[in-house]
Amino acid sequence: MDRHAIEGALEALRQGRVPQLTVKDVPAFAQGLAHLDEAALAAVCASLDARDIPTFERALRAIDEKELAWLGFKVVYDPAAAQANADNAVTKPYGAVGSANGDHAVFFCSDAKEVVCGRDYAPRDLFQMKDATRGPSMHTEQFEGLTWAGAPLFTPVRVWLLGASDVACHAARYAREVGFEVIVVDDEPLFLSAERFPHARRELLGAAGFGDLSALEARCDDYVCVLTRGHMHDPEGCVWALRAGARYVGMMGCAGKNERVRELVRDAGVSQADWERVKRPIGLSFGAKTPAELGMAIVAELIDVRYRQRYSAEARARHDASLGRAPERQAAGE
């Protein structure tokens, strides 16, 4: 959710008007989730008033300070059922109180579990608020009468897929589904088609092909996956990504091919230290062979890198321990 939408909502509330948030602002309301649609978002907006100003102010500060935080939405479709919710045999006990009330609400929640909400909430509500940060919604089926959604207040990590290969097709779809912004680059329009990449930004290179990569600008916090068709342009892809200082660079291919790529990359003036930053072969190792499996392995690794990027050393040590690996082993590009 961007700054402009937050500022617009704040201005409306300060003037006593109804905020006009759209499904473009809050995509969870346009993803076919139960009880979450454009009408539900309009109903939540219509319920807001001056009590909700601190929530939006805190969200705006989170954007400015680049916090890992979310703006959440409580959507009530059956007020009586929402308030009558009771503990069950599986979930953690939350006491005799269901939802605190049958009202819609907007709330702020950070990854540090700071919650700001202008409406009363019960322990069971708080549980759902925290889960909405795993969004766009999580465990919303546990209690009747209401559902929850979240919109991230931080910029998604941008992933470049260099090469419109079959593996890239699957990687693009999986990466988008887990919250990455995807850009696919190729020099052949038949491969770089809307049919193959319906939800990614597509960059068609000019007459010089992958020699035109320098016309594109990567940020230092971007991830780059070198997946060129037939590996023919892997050297150009690696050189471009390393010169841009991309946080993560990964490349497909066997050891023999990758050694030849190393020689060509070094000949282009890239240092051995920079070359060692390239994760090769790209992706987590779990026996992936087909394009779909390889795309999944690549995105699984991107999720792991993103996790390490966002969390503290202590949290990352717990993460490593949960995966059975030594804490000193770092993901490529970190």
Side-chain angles (χ1 to χ4, degrees):
M1 197 166 179
D2 65 22
R3 182 184 178 86
H4 179 74
I6 300 292
E7 289 176 333
L10 264 174
E11 183 65 19
L13 290 173
R14 287 166 178 162
Q15 295 180 4
R17 295 185 287 106
V18 173
Q20 301 298 311
L21 298 176
T22 70
V23 294
K24 183 178 179 181
D25 300 320
V26 194
F29 286 86
Q31 295 179 3
L33 300 168
H35 306 291
L36 295 176
D37 55 21
E38 191 170 7
L41 179 58
V44 174
C45 288
S47 73
L48 302 179
D49 57 35
R51 291 173 292 176
D52 302 296
I53 289 175
T55 301
F56 284 93
E57 289 176 334
R58 182 64 184 90
L60 191 60
R61 181 157 62 88
I63 292 174
D64 291 341
E65 297 179 1
K66 302 186 185 306
E67 291 183 70
L68 200 59
W70 292 257
L71 194 68
F73 298 80
K74 173 189 175 185
V75 179
V76 179
Y77 56 87
D78 185 333
Q83 295 173 85
N85 277 316
D87 292 334
N88 57 54
V90 175
T91 59
K92 176 183 174 180
Y94 290 96
V97 179
S99 181
N101 51 55
D103 300 333
H104 301 304
V106 172
F107 60 93
F108 167 91
C109 188
S110 71
D111 193 64
K113 306 308 180 187
E114 176 193 351
V115 172
V116 177
C117 182
R119 312 305 170 93
D120 292 336
Y121 53 87
R124 190 172 285 111
D125 290 323
L126 183 60
F127 160 72
Q128 296 291 122
M129 287 176 175
K130 292 177 180 179
D131 251 16
T133 66
R134 301 166 69 181
S137 59
M138 186 77 177
H139 295 154
T140 56
E141 71 282 358
Q142 288 188 357
F143 304 113
E144 296 295 329
L146 75 172
T147 192
W148 304 79
L153 297 170
F154 48 89
T155 302
V157 174
R158 193 163 67 170
V159 175
W160 296 81
L161 304 180
L162 302 185
S165 61
D166 290 345
V167 172
C169 283
H170 294 283
R173 176 164 66 88
Y174 301 146
R176 174 181 176 270
E177 289 177 353
V178 297
F180 290 101
E181 177 187 348
V182 182
I183 306 170
V184 188
V185 181
D186 207 279
D187 59 356
E188 174 51 66
L190 290 178
F191 285 91
L192 192 68
S193 66
E195 291 75 20
R196 285 167 63 82
F197 299 96
H199 302 295
R201 175 179 139 197
R202 291 172 287 124
E203 290 285 350
L204 181 64
L205 296 168
F210 278 81
D212 279 342
L213 275 174
S214 59
L216 302 174
E217 185 175 352
R219 300 189 296 251
C220 61
D221 55 352
D222 288 349
Y223 300 174
V224 179
C225 303
V226 181
L227 310 172
T228 68
R229 292 176 289 110
H231 307 297
M232 294 299 293
H233 300 290
D234 287 5
E236 297 100 307
C238 288
V239 170
W240 176 80
L242 292 170
R243 285 179 175 168
R247 178 179 289 272
Y248 168 90
V249 184
M251 178 180 67
M252 289 186 65
C254 63
K257 185 276 293 185
N258 289 348
E259 177 58 25
R260 179 57 183 151
V261 172
R262 183 192 71 82
E263 294 172 358
L264 293 169
V265 169
R266 290 297 311 279
D267 289 346
V270 172
S271 70
Q272 181 65 27
D274 270 348
W275 167 252
E276 292 301 332
R277 293 185 53 230
V278 179
K279 173 62 165 54
R280 54 194 194 277
I282 193 173
L284 294 187
S285 179
F286 52 72
K289 298 293 184 184
T290 68
E293 292 170 346
L294 290 166
M296 189 175 297
I298 290 167
V299 175
E301 182 163 87
L302 299 183
I303 294 169
D304 187 36
V305 174
R306 182 175 63 181
Y307 182 95
R308 290 164 165 263
Q309 174 184 341
R310 287 178 171 172
Y311 289 89
S312 67
E314 180 183 357
R316 288 162 53 181
R318 291 196 301 267
H319 177 57
D320 282 330
S322 72
L323 295 177
R325 65 187 181 193
E328 66 270 17
R329 289 183 59 190
Q330 301 297 309
E334 221 185 337

